[in-house]
Amino acid sequence: MDTIAIRKMSDYDRDVRSEVAAVFVDAYFKELRFFTKDKDKLINALHHSFSRDVIFLAEMNGEIIGMVGCSNNKVRAIHLDKTQLRLHLGFFTGHMMYRLMHKEFNIPLPYPDSTGYIECAATMEKARGKGAATALIKYLLKELPYHEFILEVTDANQIAYQFYEKIGFTVFSRKIEKHSKLKGFKERIYMHKSEELHATAGQRR
């Protein structure tokens, strides 16, 4: 069985931004192709967007196959660069992408220092089912010093929802999505996992 190694993006001694962008684009191409069906353009446009200190990568056989960000109230995993989007996608498309995705990634998080926000989880299509996502999330839960982890998943992504539920995340809020038909999902589901919840669950056994 192939071994999956987890490393922080900033720990690499080479520039892996294009590789990370390729993983992100491959995983979210269904949504990103609204802007362009050219994966290379999307990779180049997002090349500068990833925050090296809060993104963790899954590597197998020397290839980066997965990623996840653990943002906090100071740094988000992705910070869209309007100039780069316009440069590689054209002025109109780049501006539209920035406007539509700005609130998803560029807004500071309202959580305390003790909370980590898991986002941008992505695995290359060819590597799905090999344990990269599980390895990444378990690494965050074990190695990072947060007392609580929060994440968001949509009701349309039942595979992800069931995965997070299986490893101990519970729902604490739901938000109805505007323009749901256009976006392909009806609501955002917010889940969390904390030391307190874990301790309480242990006491009930």
Side-chain angles (χ1 to χ4, degrees):
M1 185 175 180
D2 294 320
T3 301
I4 297 173
I6 308 298
R7 297 170 65 185
K8 187 189 292 188
M9 187 175 173
S10 60
D11 289 339
Y12 280 80
D13 57 7
R14 69 177 193 273
D15 187 348
V16 296
R17 288 179 297 177
S18 291
E19 295 169 71
V20 174
V23 171
F24 185 82
V25 169
D26 189 68
Y28 292 101
F29 186 62
K30 182 179 179 180
E31 294 81 8
L32 294 173
R33 66 183 179 184
F34 171 78
F35 304 106
T36 177
K37 294 181 175 62
D38 188 327
K39 286 188 175 183
D40 288 334
K41 285 186 177 181
L42 289 168
I43 290 169
N44 290 331
L46 294 170
H47 179 272
H48 296 80
S49 302
F50 302 96
S51 301
R52 299 170 68 248
D53 289 329
V54 297
I55 286 182
F56 297 82
L57 306 175
E59 184 177 307
M60 186 168 64
N61 298 326
E63 181 182 8
I64 295 172
I65 59 169
M67 63 175 285
V68 68
C70 192
S71 303
N72 53 54
N73 56 17
K74 299 178 180 65
V75 182
R76 294 295 300 269
I78 288 182
H79 187 85
L80 296 175
D81 187 321
K82 186 189 298 184
T83 301
Q84 291 297 321
L85 295 181
R86 289 174 174 175
L87 176 64
H88 295 287
L89 300 176
F91 183 87
F92 176 76
T93 301
H95 180 74
M96 178 174 59
M97 185 175 182
Y98 181 83
R99 286 291 301 272
L100 292 176
M101 297 178 65
H102 170 75
K103 290 183 178 180
E104 291 282 346
F105 300 114
N106 287 23
I107 303 300
L109 294 170
Y111 304 122
D113 292 344
S114 59
T115 298
Y117 184 77
I118 297 173
E119 60 181 342
C120 307
T123 303
M124 296 195 77
E125 188 174 356
K126 67 179 182 180
R128 288 173 188 169
K130 296 185 178 181
T134 300
L136 283 163
I137 299 300
K138 288 186 175 180
Y139 181 91
L140 298 184
L141 297 177
K142 179 182 179 181
E143 300 294 336
L144 300 192
Y146 297 112
H147 297 304
E148 181 180 33
F149 291 87
I150 291 176
L151 58 84
E152 172 194 316
V153 65
T154 69
D155 62 318
N157 194 348
Q158 283 298 305
I159 293 177
Y161 174 79
Q162 291 169 7
F163 164 70
Y164 292 126
E165 190 175 48
K166 183 178 180 180
I167 61 176
F169 281 83
T170 58
V171 177
F172 70 91
S173 180
R174 294 173 181 265
K175 180 180 178 182
I176 301 300
E177 187 69 12
K178 295 180 180 179
H179 313 298
S180 58
K181 289 185 178 180
L182 177 64
K183 295 182 179 179
F185 62 93
K186 295 180 180 179
E187 63 179 0
R188 297 173 186 264
I189 304 170
Y190 296 90
M191 307 179 77
H192 68 155
K193 181 179 175 66
S194 67
E195 290 180 354
E196 181 180 348
L197 288 173
H198 182 72
T200 302
Q203 292 170 4
R204 291 176 180 173
R205 290 192 184 100

